[in-house]
Amino acid sequence: MKKILSIVAATALSVSLLSGCQSNREKTTADIKDSADMTESAVESVTESGITYPYEYTDAAGRTIAIEKEPQAVVTNYLPLWETLILLGVKPIAVSGADNYIKTWDAFSGYDVSGVKDLGASELNLELLAQLKPDMILNQSYDMKNLEIENLEKIGPVAVFGNDTKMDWRLSLREVAKIVNKQDKAEEVIKDMDEKLGADREKLAEKYKDQTVVQFSLMGKDKYYVAYRPDLYDKEKGLGLNVPEGFTQSETYEQISMEALVKMNPDYIFVNVFDGDEPLLEELENNSVWKSLKAVKNEHIYQIDGSGHAASPLATLYTVNFITDKLTAD
């Protein structure tokens, strides 16, 4: 994968999650009931999820946004927010970096991402955005005190999201759902995912009772990044995978050395490799220190697509499925 996560394989989904999302993944915004025919006198409309329009939403920057009706034409400048929309059954009309991710993001496999326009990768195409006339712009920001959304606000309503929803896909689903009127769908998806994690945790618990697992991202030559991802390692809510002694407790990625990896010496290793970085993995495989690892000697090394790096909803689902499938294949 191209490393554009700051703007932002395929494995079978669980039957329960498929049943919850299959009917929605083919939907476009045109399939959602349009409330544009409301007259000015009919100023209030109660939706199936209980929202009464006009509706006010307070975003991560503490801004109050007036939402007159259920958004139909949604755009976003952030990949994880796109993933969230997909699981809520809403296809955005445009996304930053869309062309690249449609071609390379393995977590999208099995979902309808066709026809989503590219708003540009490194810089937002404001001219195209204005032409699209969105009725809602989902904006990812990292500095709430210095927002740069004035140009976006000239084009349409802007809802700002921050680090909380970036790191917590459940919160992301719930917050985005408040904007696109999909609260019931959000809870359904979360319930299905939690049930899947529980079922997969049970599958893995006995078989890998004494085995340790490490997932790390290969981000450059001699650059290995790890994070404690609750969906993978938590014993009550995640897959319950065992981490070796010395593994990080930080949920934010941090770099480790090869020496640290050797000291942990896990039984199984999953390596996130971004598109174009395959030569880095080949070089690693020729490293004599790498070859000394228990997981390498026992052929318990698995290459996972770069989308396995992300903590976003579809990427998390992809990673959970990939790891569970590999560990239960024997």
Side-chain angles (χ1 to χ4, degrees):
M1 290 303 147
K2 301 266 193 284
K3 300 186 187 81
I4 318 177
L5 293 175
S6 61
I7 319 177
V8 183
T11 52
L13 305 180
S14 66
V15 174
S16 63
L17 195 57
L18 273 172
S19 63
C21 297
Q22 182 68 43
S23 62
N24 283 303
R25 67 174 61 168
E26 299 299 333
K27 288 185 179 180
T28 66
T29 52
D31 295 315
I32 304 172
K33 184 179 180 181
D34 188 0
S35 57
D37 58 350
M38 291 196 308
T39 64
E40 292 184 4
S41 59
V43 292
E44 290 193 352
S45 173
V46 180
T47 69
E48 291 183 2
S49 291
I51 288 180
T52 300
Y53 291 96
Y55 166 68
E56 290 187 343
Y57 173 77
T58 302
D59 69 9
R63 301 161 57 254
T64 299
I65 306 151
I67 305 177
E68 298 299 325
K69 62 180 182 179
E70 183 175 302
Q72 305 295 306
V74 181
V75 303
T76 181
N77 67 344
Y78 192 52
L79 172 66
L81 291 173
W82 184 7
E83 292 188 10
T84 297
L85 288 168
I86 287 175
L87 284 177
L88 292 176
V90 177
K91 182 191 281 190
I93 59 173
V95 178
S96 294
D99 290 347
N100 173 66
Y101 288 120
I102 288 172
K103 292 177 183 176
T104 64
W105 202 245
D106 281 10
F108 279 163
S109 181
Y111 292 87
D112 179 16
V113 293
S114 62
V116 178
K117 296 186 180 299
D118 193 329
L119 289 175
S122 60
E123 186 174 343
L124 210 60
N125 187 335
L126 293 175
E127 183 178 353
L128 173 59
L129 184 59
Q131 291 173 359
L132 293 173
K133 299 179 180 179
D135 50 26
M136 183 54 64
I137 301 170
L138 306 184
N139 177 79
Q140 178 69 24
S141 295
Y142 300 95
D143 185 354
M144 296 302 164
K145 295 180 179 179
N146 297 289
L147 294 176
E148 297 181 358
I149 58 174
E150 293 81 4
N151 289 330
L152 297 180
E153 290 180 308
K154 294 175 183 177
I155 296 172
V158 180
V160 175
F161 293 84
N163 286 331
D164 287 349
T165 48
K166 173 186 176 183
M167 300 306 297
D168 185 342
W169 61 264
R170 292 173 180 82
L171 180 61
S172 180
L173 279 165
R174 286 175 171 138
E175 289 302 310
V176 173
K178 293 176 184 177
I179 293 175
V180 296
N181 186 31
K182 296 291 181 180
Q183 295 97 317
D184 292 345
K185 183 62 180 177
E187 296 307 319
E188 176 188 333
V189 172
I190 291 169
K191 179 176 179 290
D192 286 347
M193 183 62 168
D194 286 342
E195 289 178 352
K196 173 179 173 49
L197 283 167
D200 288 348
R201 181 170 63 249
E202 189 173 330
K203 289 180 191 175
L204 298 170
E206 187 59 37
K207 186 173 184 180
Y208 296 95
K209 184 176 181 180
D210 300 316
Q211 306 289 297
T212 58
V213 180
V214 163
Q215 181 201 33
F216 75 84
S217 295
L218 186 58
M219 306 294 285
K221 180 177 173 59
D222 299 325
K223 292 184 178 180
Y224 321 115
Y225 284 80
V226 296
Y228 184 89
R229 298 178 60 176
D231 291 299
L232 304 183
Y233 302 115
D234 190 274
K235 299 296 184 184
E236 295 182 359
K237 296 182 179 180
L239 288 180
L241 302 175
N242 298 315
V243 296
E245 185 176 352
F247 192 78
T248 183
Q249 292 299 303
S250 171
E251 294 183 22
T252 301
Y253 277 97
E254 56 184 35
Q255 187 172 358
I256 63 169
S257 65
M258 177 58 70
E259 290 72 20
L261 189 58
V262 170
K263 190 173 182 179
M264 287 187 279
N265 201 19
D267 296 288
Y268 292 82
I269 296 177
F270 291 83
V271 186
N272 299 318
V273 181
F274 293 82
D275 277 13
D277 283 352
E278 291 79 8
L280 293 173
L281 180 61
E282 293 176 9
E283 184 176 351
L284 179 62
E285 290 171 339
N286 292 321
N287 184 310
S288 59
V289 179
W290 170 259
K291 290 179 179 180
S292 71
L293 290 170
K294 180 165 47 177
V296 177
K297 291 180 178 179
N298 293 330
E299 298 185 350
H300 291 162
I301 301 291
Y302 302 97
Q303 177 182 341
I304 183 170
D305 179 71
S307 54
H309 172 89
S312 45
L314 274 184
T316 295
L317 178 59
Y318 162 80
T319 305
V320 166
N321 279 320
F322 186 95
I323 290 176
T324 302
D325 288 350
K326 292 299 182 183
L327 293 182
T328 56
D330 298 338

